[in-house]
Amino acid sequence: VVGVNHQHIFNFRLDFDIDGEKNSFVEMNVKPFTGKGNPRGNAFYQEETLFALEKEAQRSIDPTQSRRWKVINPNVQSAQGHHPSYAILFQDNVSALVGKESMVRKRGRFMDHHIWTTRWKSQELHAAGTYPRQNPLREGLPRYSGDESIVNQDLVTWCTLSTTHIPRPEDWPLMPTTAVGFQLRPLAFFERNPALDVP
């Protein structure tokens, strides 16, 4: 017996307050350096983009650019000029495969993107809205994410994780295990590696 092809899709709501409530959202993409200073063609650099509005911060992974994101406090700087932040690094993630006009997708539009960033609001707690099984409308993140500024604001970042399960005979009647996740990595909280003085 083999089960039906399907996906497991999760969303995590991360309410950041990095050195205070006023934070901003930045995307980082790695690109090849094509200028004259790279004669052997082996250099690359990281380009950072600060998103101004909620609707701009609906983003998806792109492994061709080593894409990742960070939430920063733009009001604090280290001695090196960096802003304290947490980088969000996805691991082994995929895109949703269910059709965009299916009822599942209409009720779970959070799966349209891997990451969303919105301004904090006390009533915005669920990525698919409050009653997704009873509501055919676009609730949740598509409604939360609009024209409001996310620069130097109290932010919430929503991370969507997906894994595709093409069942094996060994998965019946219970799937043994799979792994999907993301990592929060601190950036620029310290002036140097805090382990340097460990005896």
Side-chain angles (χ1 to χ4, degrees):
V1 177
V2 178
V4 176
N5 296 341
H6 61 281
Q7 289 186 298
H8 302 268
I9 301 175
F10 308 91
N11 187 276
F12 292 83
R13 180 183 182 272
L14 306 175
D15 182 0
F16 286 104
D17 290 325
I18 299 174
D19 280 352
E21 293 183 348
K22 302 297 185 183
N23 295 162
S24 296
F25 181 69
V26 175
E27 180 173 277
M28 300 173 284
N29 289 296
V30 177
K31 304 194 172 207
F33 180 70
T34 56
K36 292 183 180 178
N38 184 23
R40 292 185 175 87
N42 59 358
F44 47 88
Y45 67 100
Q46 181 172 273
E47 180 181 82
E48 295 191 0
T49 303
L50 174 74
F51 291 112
L53 303 175
E54 291 173 322
K55 65 182 178 183
E56 296 172 353
Q58 302 172 15
R59 307 294 293 166
S60 296
I61 57 173
D62 183 355
T64 65
Q65 298 188 77
S66 296
R67 179 172 293 165
R68 52 195 183 141
W69 300 272
K70 64 182 176 180
V71 177
I72 70 169
N73 184 329
N75 307 296
V76 179
Q77 277 191 322
S78 69
Q80 292 89 9
H82 302 293
H83 301 292
S85 61
Y86 270 100
I88 302 166
L89 311 173
F90 283 98
Q91 302 163 350
D92 199 22
N93 205 352
V94 297
S95 297
L97 298 171
V98 65
K100 291 200 180 224
E101 295 307 312
S102 70
M103 190 53 69
V104 171
R105 190 69 171 259
K106 286 180 179 178
R107 289 179 174 169
R109 297 275 12 171
F110 67 88
M111 64 181 85
D112 288 353
H113 301 285
H114 293 109
I115 198 162
W116 307 62
T117 295
T118 61
R119 283 176 65 166
W120 183 91
K121 290 190 173 70
S122 61
Q123 71 276 16
E124 295 179 356
L125 296 175
H126 309 288
T130 308
Y131 304 107
R133 291 177 60 93
Q134 301 168 355
N135 193 342
L137 302 177
R138 294 178 57 183
E139 296 293 337
L141 281 172
R143 190 172 292 261
Y144 305 162
S145 180
D147 291 323
E148 288 191 281
S149 170
I150 55 170
V151 175
N152 210 21
Q153 301 291 332
D154 192 359
L155 300 182
V156 175
T157 297
W158 311 73
C159 296
T160 303
L161 303 178
S162 308
T163 182
T164 303
H165 186 189
I166 308 298
R168 310 168 295 157
E170 293 86 350
D171 290 342
W172 177 265
L174 295 173
M175 179 180 176
T177 185
T178 192
V180 63
F182 63 93
Q183 183 182 75
L184 297 179
R185 184 175 294 172
L187 293 175
F189 280 95
F190 298 99
E191 304 295 333
R192 62 190 187 119
N193 186 326
L196 289 176
D197 60 356
V198 173

